[in-house]
Amino acid sequence: MIGLMQFLYNEGFRFIAKDHNGWVRAFVRKPVKNKYAWIANGYVRTLGELSNLFNNINWEDKEPLNIAIEIGAFDWSTVPDNTPVLVRNNVTEPWEYRHFYKYSAESDYPFICYIDGKTSYTVKSIQSIVKYDNWKFCKLAEVDDENKL
């Protein structure tokens, strides 16, 4: 399946999602979910019979599958300091809003963020020695994610 996702990525597709009928589609831009389907903001391709390969994707998913992250094409070392992200340490925890500090590939918890939602500017004002915390999972936050949590 990684080979298929790599092919889709090379063709310009960045997201994969399944509609309520079980059809899987690849999207060039991040789609928006409505009552029955993911609405494309740009070119979309239905994967037809290949939909069976994506049994791990469900209509109930709140976010489409990010192909770049799945195939390792996203380079976290290039994410700028203070970038808004969502983090957690296991798949059952809710996402927490943080600001990205850096990525440490050699760690089991490679995503380092400023503590308690601080930024590089506001963390200077706290007296604590600890200014960062490490996380196992991380994704880029959308524009309004902080208000949704």
Side-chain angles (χ1 to χ4, degrees), residues 50-85:
L50 296 175
S51 294
N52 295 331
L53 298 174
F54 294 95
N55 290 332
N56 59 324
I57 299 175
N58 298 304
W59 164 243
E60 292 80 23
D61 293 341
K62 293 185 186 338
E63 293 288 323
L65 184 74
N66 185 318
I67 297 171
I69 291 174
E70 294 298 313
I71 64 171
F74 189 85
D75 185 359
W76 280 100
S77 67
T78 64
V79 174
D81 190 32
N82 293 317
T83 297
V85 293

Side-chain angles (χ1 to χ4, degrees), residues 8 15 30 36 47-48 68 73 83-84 103-104 107 110 120 125 138:
L8 291 168
F15 298 93
K30 188 173 182 180
Y36 301 106
L47 300 183
T83 297
Y103 178 73
S104 176
S107 174
S120 64
S125 67
C138 185

